[in-house]
């Protein structure tokens, strides 16, 4: 597709369940980012993938959060044993380059609600 | 650590009036600076970015921003507001020598345009 695609667009899950959120970046983009947007914390960086390098996981809030990127393309963010404070919009972004001034293109996000 | 402060979480302007959204950053070295816009239920879209080439940066949709190092500011302006400018605006920074474009966002300013 032309843009960053995220699925599902909405997800409601029960507290304690695991969830997987998917991101399809723009074709050819080597860098991929996950961010979380919540009422209390605003927009926060979670994790960054660049090519085949080890990901930068410095923004992951706890060990319940993990992400992988297969084949340098699709990425999955997994949240285990979800808690109510995990409710947020999870945004994925990709960029062509790895530099700090490159434009990041964002998907529409996955709205996660933990009940 | 870097931080970004956006003054005013909500701004109301009349159609045709000046739009001014304030952004101040905290960093020992001037970072790369960005303004993103988020329309309802959509991802973030880049309006403009400062990458040290020129202090006055012109972006899409008639927006521009001026980098002022002495004031550590990067305020966003548009001379004449249009109804379609109603959205939330985020200022963001990326460290000058970072690996990857890991953005630190301000809290956002929601713009309401009155007819």
């Amino acid at each position: 597709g032309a843009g960053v695609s995220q699925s599902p667009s909405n997800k409601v899950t029960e507290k304690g369940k695991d969830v997987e959120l998917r991101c399809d970046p723009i074709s050819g983009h080597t860098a991929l980012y996950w961010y979380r947007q919540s009422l209390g914390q605003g927009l926060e960086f979670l994790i960054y993938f660049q090519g085949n390098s080890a990901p930068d996981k410095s923004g992951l809030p706890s060990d319940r959060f993990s992400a992988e990127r297969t084949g340098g393309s699709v990425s999955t963010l997994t949240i285990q044993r979800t808690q109510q404070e995990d409710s947020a919009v999870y945004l994925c972004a990709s960029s062509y380059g790895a530099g700090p001034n490159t434009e990041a293109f964002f998907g529409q996000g996955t709205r996660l609600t933990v009940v | 650590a870097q931080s970004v402060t956006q003054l005013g979480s909500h701004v109301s302007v009349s159609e045709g009036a000046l739009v001014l959204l304030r952004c101040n950053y905290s960093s020992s070295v001037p970072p790369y600076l960005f303004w993103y816009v988020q329309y309802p239920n959509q991802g973030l879209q880049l309006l403009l970015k400062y990458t040290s080439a020129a202090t006055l940066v012109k972006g899409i949709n008639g927006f521009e921003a001026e980098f002022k190092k002495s004031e550590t500011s990067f305020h966003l302006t548009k001379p004449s507001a249009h109804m379609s400018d109603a959205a939330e605006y985020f200022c963001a920074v990326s460290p000058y020598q970072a690996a990857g474009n890991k953005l630190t966002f301000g809290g956002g300013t929601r713009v309401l345009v009155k007819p």
Side-chain angles (χ1 to χ4, degrees):
Chain A
V4 177
S5 177
Q6 292 187 245
S7 61
S9 54
N10 282 282
K11 175 72 176 179
V12 179
T13 189
E14 292 182 353
K15 178 181 172 181
K17 300 283 190 183
D18 297 352
V19 294
E20 286 189 351
L21 312 180
R22 177 188 168 102
C23 173
D24 283 89
I26 294 172
S27 178
H29 280 193
T30 58
L32 187 147
Y33 307 81
W34 284 97
Y35 290 86
R36 179 169 69 174
Q37 186 174 24
S38 59
L39 283 176
Q41 302 298 323
L43 272 157
E44 307 170 280
F45 163 79
L46 295 178
I47 188 169
Y48 158 59
F49 295 90
Q50 172 56 39
N52 295 320
S53 302
D56 178 342
K57 306 179 183 179
S58 60
L60 295 179
S62 77
D63 58 9
R64 295 187 296 104
F65 288 73
S66 63
E68 62 177 20
R69 188 178 185 192
T70 54
S73 181
V74 171
S75 178
T76 301
L77 177 68
T78 301
I79 309 173
Q80 296 178 307
R81 305 181 302 281
T82 51
Q83 303 295 313
Q84 288 188 329
E85 61 263 28
D86 299 335
S87 295
V89 176
Y90 290 82
L91 293 168
C92 177
S94 69
S95 64
Y96 180 69
N101 62 339
T102 55
E103 178 177 356
F105 293 82
F106 283 79
Q108 293 190 337
T110 294
R111 182 175 298 276
L112 175 67
T113 303
V114 182
V115 298
Chain B
Q2 297 183 119
S3 65
V4 182
T5 302
Q6 291 183 241
L7 203 59
S9 59
H10 291 79
V11 167
S12 181
V13 299
S14 297
E15 192 174 18
L18 171 73
V19 179
L20 170 61
L21 305 182
R22 299 180 187 274
C23 172
N24 288 86
Y25 67 91
S26 172
S27 175
S28 56
V29 176
Y32 295 110
L33 293 149
F34 305 80
W35 275 100
Y36 280 86
V37 61
Q38 186 176 35
Y39 298 102
N41 300 315
Q42 295 199 20
L44 299 165
Q45 180 183 6
L46 181 67
L47 278 176
L48 48 81
K49 64 179 180 181
Y50 168 74
T51 59
S52 76
T55 57
L56 183 62
V57 182
K58 295 189 183 296
I60 62 171
N61 301 340
F63 284 92
E64 63 181 37
E66 185 173 10
F67 170 69
K68 292 186 177 181
K69 183 178 178 180
S70 61
E71 299 177 7
T72 60
S73 69
F74 191 54
H75 301 331
L76 181 72
T77 60
K78 181 174 180 177
S80 177
H82 191 272
M83 296 299 292
S84 61
D85 294 327
E88 190 159 19
Y89 294 78
F90 293 91
C91 182
V93 301
S94 180
Y96 185 67
Q97 292 180 316
N101 189 1
K102 291 164 50 178
L103 296 166
T104 299
F105 287 90
T109 299
R110 190 173 298 277
V111 173
L112 171 66
V113 182
K114 299 176 294 184

